[in-house]
Each structure stands twice: as C-alpha cells, then as structure tokens.
Amino acid sequence: MAVVEAIGVRKSFGHTEVLRGVDLTVEQGQVVCMLGPSGAGKSTFLRCVNHLETIDSGRIWVDGVPVGFRQHNGKLHELREKDVAAQRRHIGMVFQRFNLFPHRTALENIVEGPVQVLGVPVAKARADALALLERVGLAEKASAYPRQLSGGQQQRVAIARSLAMKPKLMLFDEPTSALDPELVGEVLDVMVSLAREGMTMIVVTHEVGFARSVADQVVFMVDGAIVESGPPEQVLDNPQQPRTRQFLAKVF
C-alpha cells in the first residue's frame, strides 16, 4: 500500500487555482523531491497532505486513510479538528521557519509532543529526546534555548521534534531556505541519514544536488500542475519538457 496517494487534487484561493489536478503516489520508504518555481503550488500541496489546507476536490490518502475526511455510506464527511489532529500524529512536518517554543529548551521542545499528545511518560520522553538530539548532532545543546542556537541547529531540533512523534511520513517544506548558505549542509546531512534509514519523505526543495543524491522520484511542478516526474537521472539529466529544462538551466 502506498503511504501517500493523491488523485486529482485541486485547491483555489479566491479566484486563483493553486493546484490543478495533482496526482502523486509515494511508496513506503521512498523519498520524493518536489522542484519548481515559486508559486508552483508545491508548499500548498504539502499542506494539503497534512490537511493544513482543505482541498476543493480530488482525494488524498495517507497510509490508506482519507486525509481530513471519513467515509460513511459512500460519502466523505470532513473530520472535526480533534480527529484531524489525531491523523497528524503520524505525519511529521518541518517548515521553512523553525517554529520552536522560544521559552523552552531544545530538550523541552522535543519532549512536549510525546508527553502531551501521545501520553508518553516524562522520563521516557526525555530519554528518547536526548537520543534524538544525539541523532541530529546536538547532544550538547539539550539545555539551550532557541535564541542560543544557530538557524541550522534550530532546524535540526525541529526535525528531532517531528521524529519524536514516530511519524510514518515526513514532510519538508523548503527546510533550508531560511538558512545562511554555510548552515544548509548540516540540515541536509540529517535528511540524508533519514532517507538512508528508510523514512518516507516528501521534500519541497531548491537543493538540486540533494534531490539528485537522495530522491527516488523527482517531481517538477509549475502553475499548480505536475509537468514531469521520474527518477532523478531522468528528470534532472534528461528532462523531456521545455519548462523543466528552462528551470534547471537557471538553477545549475
């Protein structure tokens, strides 16, 4: 069973159609990198997968369950917010901005979700959080507050916080775009290690080198639609669509 199955997804904001019939399948353990110009709809699609945005038509399933809806008597009914929140427990999302609690330490930021949402005992949550900090190379920063961390360090804490919820799927929305160039590598290294460990991931990114080395599938979006997709060696090295070639010529 696919971890993510999107069929005919459409989304408009006012009179502007941002997603125009997006189809995408992500199998377990796959890394899918979404490329494209700003305004292509990549981030909106990612937010729809997590039901942070409600789609206008089409369907999205995560792990076989319709996102944000339940099926009853052949019809789909939108879930209440608390039920949507329960679905999101299984989906980790890392944003462009780190969104850490400024008044909590790195350790406390990671512990919060498992304790408050999953009911994990505090002692176990702390032990797990320390292991995650070590995993992202920040074991010595457990007691540091976000203001005491660089942007790259904050983003690695944000990744650890998502992993603490033991997600089936990780969504990354341009996780390095807000970072100084010299800090990008430390975040990408963590993402590479996650990919090698078999985490299912959808990554919206402009980091073409990362997509080339890690992605199982590269998706190129423009004007709310997927115009080309396939293995990185196909899409990045031998793109078939003129719009893809034009975009890559500017990126490389």
Side-chain angles (χ1 to χ4, degrees), residues 91-129:
I91 305 173
M93 188 159 184
V94 177
F95 299 88
Q96 297 177 33
R97 297 293 174 181
F98 324 121
N99 296 330
L100 299 177
F101 295 119
H103 60 291
R104 298 188 185 278
T105 65
L107 183 68
E108 290 167 345
N109 265 279
I110 299 169
V111 165
E112 180 83 5
V115 171
Q116 298 298 328
V117 179
L118 302 181
V120 176
V122 173
K124 177 165 178 24
R126 286 179 61 86
D128 291 345

Side-chain angles (χ1 to χ4, degrees), residues 154-166:
Q154 289 185 63
Q155 193 64 292
R156 283 186 281 160
V157 173
I159 293 172
R161 180 180 59 183
S162 290
L163 293 175
M165 299 297 287
K166 303 191 183 307

Side-chain angles (χ1 to χ4, degrees), residues 123-184:
K124 177 165 178 24
R126 286 179 61 86
D128 291 345
L130 287 169
L132 284 169
L133 282 171
E134 184 169 0
R135 183 177 177 183
V136 300
L138 292 173
E140 77 286 359
K141 298 293 185 180
S143 59
Y145 289 90
R147 66 180 180 275
Q148 299 170 313
L149 301 173
S150 70
Q153 290 170 335
Q154 289 185 63
Q155 193 64 292
R156 283 186 281 160
V157 173
I159 293 172
R161 180 180 59 183
S162 290
L163 293 175
M165 299 297 287
K166 303 191 183 307
K168 300 174 182 177
L169 169 69
M170 285 288 289
L171 308 175
F172 293 87
D173 186 9
E174 299 192 36
T176 60
S177 65
L179 301 179
D180 293 333
E182 66 268 21
L183 301 178
V184 168

Side-chain angles (χ1 to χ4, degrees), residues 215-237:
D216 298 292
Q217 180 181 3
V218 173
V219 172
F220 180 71
M221 284 186 71
V222 63
D223 295 332
I226 294 174
V227 298
E228 190 160 359
S229 66
E233 60 270 20
Q234 173 188 315
V235 176
L236 300 179
D237 297 331

Side-chain angles (χ1 to χ4, degrees), residues 188-246:
L188 292 181
D189 286 346
V190 173
M191 295 170 64
V192 168
S193 70
L194 289 178
R196 289 174 176 165
E197 292 165 12
M199 175 64 72
T200 308
M201 300 160 58
I202 305 178
V203 184
V204 172
T205 183
H206 291 296
E207 301 290 341
V208 176
F210 171 82
R212 183 190 301 280
S213 63
V214 172
D216 298 292
Q217 180 181 3
V218 173
V219 172
F220 180 71
M221 284 186 71
V222 63
D223 295 332
I226 294 174
V227 298
E228 190 160 359
S229 66
E233 60 270 20
Q234 173 188 315
V235 176
L236 300 179
D237 297 331
N238 189 29
Q240 302 302 300
Q241 299 300 318
R243 187 65 182 87
T244 313
R245 292 197 293 269
Q246 180 186 18

